[in-house]
Amino acid sequence: CLIHGLTKKINFLYQFQERWLYFARYDRKRKIKKKDMRIIKGVEYELLVEAVKSSYKEETNGYVLTCEIGVHEGHGSQIMLEEGRKKFQNFHHLGIDPYGNVQLGVSNKVKWNLKKDLINYLEFHLMEMTDTEYMDKYRNGFIIYDEKPQLLNRYTCVHFDGPQRTTDVLREVMFFCHRAHIGTTFCFNDYKRYKMDIIVNLCSVYGFRVLKKGSRRYIMRKEYGVTT
């Protein structure tokens, strides 16, 4: 009787553990799937969705390239990946972030979780480097291999979520303005932390116009002007 009772308790514990693991895995998948983040108040990720949806590329070599500076946990990149998949063919997305507590204290543990979360997005390319390192190394463009090397040097949508000093953002904006095309959109996160009026004036010189302004995010789109 005692042995039978212990056996029942052990079986119950095993069943409980299996169920807990199942729901833990389910909850993990659900959270990953819902990284749309529009469910979080005040984050305004719906404006990032709009930035991707509002971008377009009239003249194309068959490829579309989007980019996020400051990937962190990957919420923004996942939204851009989901919306990019719906809108474009031959679509690729770059995520630029050095991790390793180099900027904003984002650790390598966060990076490993990001890689697991976004493993099914074959369009995603994680660039483990700072913004300045990326702009120096890939100033001529990003190469993908699709039967033959393809140089992607025009960006259709860029999310600025990295360094938040005015000088840093200006440097990034100059880089991407020179590599934009008609229909390129820029989305700035936490724009109130730097001098956004200077950024807007610079973008305007390159043919960008304000598309939408929220309390946290700011969208501009290139409406005219030549691409250099």
Side-chain angles (χ1 to χ4, degrees), residues 82-100:
E82 287 289 343
E83 296 302 322
R85 278 181 168 183
K86 296 174 190 175
K87 186 175 178 67
F88 304 114
Q89 293 182 334
N90 296 322
F91 156 69
H92 292 268
H93 175 75
L94 306 181
I96 303 168
D97 202 314
Y99 294 97

PDB file of all heavy atoms in Angstrom, residues 82-100:
ATOM      1  N   GLU A  82       8.113  40.864 -39.847  1.00  0.00           N
ATOM      2  CA  GLU A  82       6.747  40.427 -40.140  1.00  0.00           C
ATOM      3  C   GLU A  82       6.115  41.309 -41.210  1.00  0.00           C
ATOM      4  O   GLU A  82       5.511  40.805 -42.165  1.00  0.00           O
ATOM      5  CB  GLU A  82       5.908  40.456 -38.862  1.00  0.00           C
ATOM      6  CG  GLU A  82       6.220  39.348 -37.872  1.00  0.00           C
ATOM      7  CD  GLU A  82       5.749  37.983 -38.343  1.00  0.00           C
ATOM      8  OE1 GLU A  82       4.899  37.915 -39.265  1.00  0.00           O
ATOM      9  OE2 GLU A  82       6.242  36.970 -37.811  1.00  0.00           O
ATOM     10  N   GLU A  83       6.243  42.622 -41.050  1.00  0.00           N
ATOM     11  CA  GLU A  83       5.632  43.535 -42.021  1.00  0.00           C
ATOM     12  C   GLU A  83       6.362  43.488 -43.364  1.00  0.00           C
ATOM     13  O   GLU A  83       5.734  43.578 -44.414  1.00  0.00           O
ATOM     14  CB  GLU A  83       5.635  44.964 -41.470  1.00  0.00           C
ATOM     15  CG  GLU A  83       4.793  45.153 -40.226  1.00  0.00           C
ATOM     16  CD  GLU A  83       3.339  44.765 -40.421  1.00  0.00           C
ATOM     17  OE1 GLU A  83       2.797  45.033 -41.515  1.00  0.00           O
ATOM     18  OE2 GLU A  83       2.737  44.202 -39.491  1.00  0.00           O
ATOM     19  N   GLY A  84       7.680  43.328 -43.313  1.00  0.00           N
ATOM     20  CA  GLY A  84       8.449  43.227 -44.555  1.00  0.00           C
ATOM     21  C   GLY A  84       8.089  41.990 -45.353  1.00  0.00           C
ATOM     22  O   GLY A  84       8.008  42.035 -46.587  1.00  0.00           O
ATOM     23  N   ARG A  85       7.867  40.897 -44.661  1.00  0.00           N
ATOM     24  CA  ARG A  85       7.450  39.658 -45.336  1.00  0.00           C
ATOM     25  C   ARG A  85       6.130  39.844 -46.083  1.00  0.00           C
ATOM     26  O   ARG A  85       5.942  39.321 -47.184  1.00  0.00           O
ATOM     27  CB  ARG A  85       7.287  38.533 -44.309  1.00  0.00           C
ATOM     28  CG  ARG A  85       8.559  37.837 -43.901  1.00  0.00           C
ATOM     29  CD  ARG A  85       8.253  36.739 -42.894  1.00  0.00           C
ATOM     30  NE  ARG A  85       9.398  35.864 -42.672  1.00  0.00           N
ATOM     31  CZ  ARG A  85       9.373  34.804 -41.890  1.00  0.00           C
ATOM     32  NH1 ARG A  85       8.259  34.497 -41.232  1.00  0.00           N
ATOM     33  NH2 ARG A  85      10.454  34.041 -41.745  1.00  0.00           N
ATOM     34  N   LYS A  86       5.222  40.567 -45.458  1.00  0.00           N
ATOM     35  CA  LYS A  86       3.903  40.781 -46.068  1.00  0.00           C
ATOM     36  C   LYS A  86       3.990  41.687 -47.290  1.00  0.00           C
ATOM     37  O   LYS A  86       3.244  41.510 -48.260  1.00  0.00           O
ATOM     38  CB  LYS A  86       2.952  41.416 -45.047  1.00  0.00           C
ATOM     39  CG  LYS A  86       2.643  40.565 -43.832  1.00  0.00           C
ATOM     40  CD  LYS A  86       1.812  41.367 -42.838  1.00  0.00           C
ATOM     41  CE  LYS A  86       1.669  40.649 -41.503  1.00  0.00           C
ATOM     42  NZ  LYS A  86       0.967  41.494 -40.504  1.00  0.00           N
ATOM     43  N   LYS A  87       4.898  42.649 -47.238  1.00  0.00           N
ATOM     44  CA  LYS A  87       4.895  43.720 -48.245  1.00  0.00           C
ATOM     45  C   LYS A  87       5.839  43.469 -49.414  1.00  0.00           C
ATOM     46  O   LYS A  87       5.536  43.843 -50.554  1.00  0.00           O
ATOM     47  CB  LYS A  87       5.274  45.046 -47.556  1.00  0.00           C
ATOM     48  CG  LYS A  87       5.163  46.270 -48.449  1.00  0.00           C
ATOM     49  CD  LYS A  87       5.441  47.530 -47.660  1.00  0.00           C
ATOM     50  CE  LYS A  87       5.385  48.767 -48.552  1.00  0.00           C
ATOM     51  NZ  LYS A  87       4.021  49.026 -49.046  1.00  0.00           N
ATOM     52  N   PHE A  88       6.991  42.845 -49.150  1.00  0.00           N
ATOM     53  CA  PHE A  88       8.034  42.773 -50.165  1.00  0.00           C
ATOM     54  C   PHE A  88       8.397  41.334 -50.529  1.00  0.00           C
ATOM     55  O   PHE A  88       8.205  40.409 -49.740  1.00  0.00           O
ATOM     56  CB  PHE A  88       9.314  43.472 -49.669  1.00  0.00           C
ATOM     57  CG  PHE A  88       9.124  44.899 -49.261  1.00  0.00           C
ATOM     58  CD1 PHE A  88       9.289  45.280 -47.937  1.00  0.00           C
ATOM     59  CD2 PHE A  88       8.779  45.867 -50.192  1.00  0.00           C
ATOM     60  CE1 PHE A  88       9.128  46.595 -47.547  1.00  0.00           C
ATOM     61  CE2 PHE A  88       8.608  47.189 -49.816  1.00  0.00           C
ATOM     62  CZ  PHE A  88       8.779  47.551 -48.489  1.00  0.00           C
ATOM     63  N   GLN A  89       8.964  41.197 -51.719  1.00  0.00           N
ATOM     64  CA  GLN A  89       9.610  39.952 -52.125  1.00  0.00           C
ATOM     65  C   GLN A  89      11.126  40.177 -52.090  1.00  0.00           C
ATOM     66  O   GLN A  89      11.588  41.307 -52.193  1.00  0.00           O
ATOM     67  CB  GLN A  89       9.166  39.535 -53.528  1.00  0.00           C
ATOM     68  CG  GLN A  89       7.694  39.129 -53.603  1.00  0.00           C
ATOM     69  CD  GLN A  89       7.302  38.664 -54.993  1.00  0.00           C
ATOM     70  OE1 GLN A  89       7.910  39.061 -55.987  1.00  0.00           O
ATOM     71  NE2 GLN A  89       6.296  37.819 -55.077  1.00  0.00           N
ATOM     72  N   ASN A  90      11.866  39.083 -51.973  1.00  0.00           N
ATOM     73  CA  ASN A  90      13.337  39.187 -51.911  1.00  0.00           C
ATOM     74  C   ASN A  90      13.758  40.242 -50.884  1.00  0.00           C
ATOM     75  O   ASN A  90      14.495  41.180 -51.181  1.00  0.00           O
ATOM     76  CB  ASN A  90      13.915  39.528 -53.288  1.00  0.00           C
ATOM     77  CG  ASN A  90      13.645  38.429 -54.296  1.00  0.00           C
ATOM     78  OD1 ASN A  90      13.691  37.252 -53.962  1.00  0.00           O
ATOM     79  ND2 ASN A  90      13.356  38.809 -55.526  1.00  0.00           N
ATOM     80  N   PHE A  91      13.265  40.066 -49.704  1.00  0.00           N
ATOM     81  CA  PHE A  91      13.403  41.042 -48.627  1.00  0.00           C
ATOM     82  C   PHE A  91      14.457  40.581 -47.621  1.00  0.00           C
ATOM     83  O   PHE A  91      14.529  39.400 -47.271  1.00  0.00           O
ATOM     84  CB  PHE A  91      12.026  41.190 -47.955  1.00  0.00           C
ATOM     85  CG  PHE A  91      12.051  41.684 -46.542  1.00  0.00           C
ATOM     86  CD1 PHE A  91      12.421  42.985 -46.250  1.00  0.00           C
ATOM     87  CD2 PHE A  91      11.680  40.853 -45.493  1.00  0.00           C
ATOM     88  CE1 PHE A  91      12.419  43.446 -44.944  1.00  0.00           C
ATOM     89  CE2 PHE A  91      11.669  41.294 -44.191  1.00  0.00           C
ATOM     90  CZ  PHE A  91      12.046  42.598 -43.911  1.00  0.00           C
ATOM     91  N   HIS A  92      15.297  41.537 -47.180  1.00  0.00           N
ATOM     92  CA  HIS A  92      16.322  41.244 -46.169  1.00  0.00           C
ATOM     93  C   HIS A  92      16.330  42.354 -45.122  1.00  0.00           C
ATOM     94  O   HIS A  92      16.115  43.523 -45.444  1.00  0.00           O
ATOM     95  CB  HIS A  92      17.708  41.123 -46.820  1.00  0.00           C
ATOM     96  CG  HIS A  92      17.847  39.927 -47.694  1.00  0.00           C
ATOM     97  ND1 HIS A  92      18.327  38.714 -47.249  1.00  0.00           N
ATOM     98  CD2 HIS A  92      17.534  39.745 -49.007  1.00  0.00           C
ATOM     99  CE1 HIS A  92      18.322  37.848 -48.237  1.00  0.00           C
ATOM    100  NE2 HIS A  92      17.845  38.441 -49.324  1.00  0.00           N
ATOM    101  N   HIS A  93      16.593  41.956 -43.887  1.00  0.00           N
ATOM    102  CA  HIS A  93      16.582  42.910 -42.779  1.00  0.00           C
ATOM    103  C   HIS A  93      17.875  42.788 -41.973  1.00  0.00           C
ATOM    104  O   HIS A  93      18.279  41.685 -41.585  1.00  0.00           O
ATOM    105  CB  HIS A  93      15.381  42.654 -41.861  1.00  0.00           C
ATOM    106  CG  HIS A  93      15.366  43.526 -40.643  1.00  0.00           C
ATOM    107  ND1 HIS A  93      15.020  44.863 -40.688  1.00  0.00           N
ATOM    108  CD2 HIS A  93      15.665  43.250 -39.353  1.00  0.00           C
ATOM    109  CE1 HIS A  93      15.102  45.373 -39.468  1.00  0.00           C
ATOM    110  NE2 HIS A  93      15.493  44.419 -38.630  1.00  0.00           N
ATOM    111  N   LEU A  94      18.510  43.919 -41.712  1.00  0.00           N
ATOM    112  CA  LEU A  94      19.737  43.951 -40.926  1.00  0.00           C
ATOM    113  C   LEU A  94      19.447  44.488 -39.531  1.00  0.00           C
ATOM    114  O   LEU A  94      18.754  45.499 -39.380  1.00  0.00           O
ATOM    115  CB  LEU A  94      20.775  44.862 -41.592  1.00  0.00           C
ATOM    116  CG  LEU A  94      21.134  44.583 -43.051  1.00  0.00           C
ATOM    117  CD1 LEU A  94      22.191  45.580 -43.518  1.00  0.00           C
ATOM    118  CD2 LEU A  94      21.626  43.169 -43.224  1.00  0.00           C
ATOM    119  N   GLY A  95      19.995  43.822 -38.526  1.00  0.00           N
ATOM    120  CA  GLY A  95      19.908  44.297 -37.159  1.00  0.00           C
ATOM    121  C   GLY A  95      21.305  44.616 -36.650  1.00  0.00           C
ATOM    122  O   GLY A  95      22.155  43.729 -36.585  1.00  0.00           O
ATOM    123  N   ILE A  96      21.560  45.884 -36.318  1.00  0.00           N
ATOM    124  CA  ILE A  96      22.905  46.321 -35.920  1.00  0.00           C
ATOM    125  C   ILE A  96      22.950  46.549 -34.411  1.00  0.00           C
ATOM    126  O   ILE A  96      22.238  47.423 -33.889  1.00  0.00           O
ATOM    127  CB  ILE A  96      23.298  47.614 -36.659  1.00  0.00           C
ATOM    128  CG1 ILE A  96      23.215  47.419 -38.180  1.00  0.00           C
ATOM    129  CG2 ILE A  96      24.698  48.068 -36.258  1.00  0.00           C
ATOM    130  CD1 ILE A  96      23.294  48.709 -38.967  1.00  0.00           C
ATOM    131  N   ASP A  97      23.758  45.758 -33.724  1.00  0.00           N
ATOM    132  CA  ASP A  97      23.884  45.898 -32.275  1.00  0.00           C
ATOM    133  C   ASP A  97      25.114  45.124 -31.818  1.00  0.00           C
ATOM    134  O   ASP A  97      25.253  43.945 -32.141  1.00  0.00           O
ATOM    135  CB  ASP A  97      22.637  45.359 -31.566  1.00  0.00           C
ATOM    136  CG  ASP A  97      22.460  45.943 -30.173  1.00  0.00           C
ATOM    137  OD1 ASP A  97      23.461  45.993 -29.421  1.00  0.00           O
ATOM    138  OD2 ASP A  97      21.340  46.341 -29.821  1.00  0.00           O
ATOM    139  N   PRO A  98      26.029  45.750 -31.066  1.00  0.00           N
ATOM    140  CA  PRO A  98      27.253  45.043 -30.656  1.00  0.00           C
ATOM    141  C   PRO A  98      27.046  44.081 -29.497  1.00  0.00           C
ATOM    142  O   PRO A  98      27.819  43.140 -29.316  1.00  0.00           O
ATOM    143  CB  PRO A  98      28.180  46.181 -30.247  1.00  0.00           C
ATOM    144  CG  PRO A  98      27.264  47.253 -29.776  1.00  0.00           C
ATOM    145  CD  PRO A  98      26.047  47.161 -30.663  1.00  0.00           C
ATOM    146  N   TYR A  99      26.009  44.318 -28.680  1.00  0.00           N
ATOM    147  CA  TYR A  99      25.797  43.545 -27.448  1.00  0.00           C
ATOM    148  C   TYR A  99      27.070  43.585 -26.589  1.00  0.00           C
ATOM    149  O   TYR A  99      27.869  44.493 -26.725  1.00  0.00           O
ATOM    150  CB  TYR A  99      25.349  42.122 -27.768  1.00  0.00           C
ATOM    151  CG  TYR A  99      23.975  42.090 -28.408  1.00  0.00           C
ATOM    152  CD1 TYR A  99      23.828  42.025 -29.792  1.00  0.00           C
ATOM    153  CD2 TYR A  99      22.831  42.179 -27.635  1.00  0.00           C
ATOM    154  CE1 TYR A  99      22.561  42.032 -30.381  1.00  0.00           C
ATOM    155  CE2 TYR A  99      21.565  42.188 -28.219  1.00  0.00           C
ATOM    156  CZ  TYR A  99      21.444  42.107 -29.577  1.00  0.00           C
ATOM    157  OH  TYR A  99      20.198  42.129 -30.151  1.00  0.00           O
ATOM    158  N   GLY A 100      27.226  42.606 -25.680  1.00  0.00           N
ATOM    159  CA  GLY A 100      28.415  42.556 -24.843  1.00  0.00           C
ATOM    160  C   GLY A 100      28.572  43.749 -23.920  1.00  0.00           C
ATOM    161  O   GLY A 100      29.676  44.114 -23.535  1.00  0.00           O
TER     162      GLY A 100
END
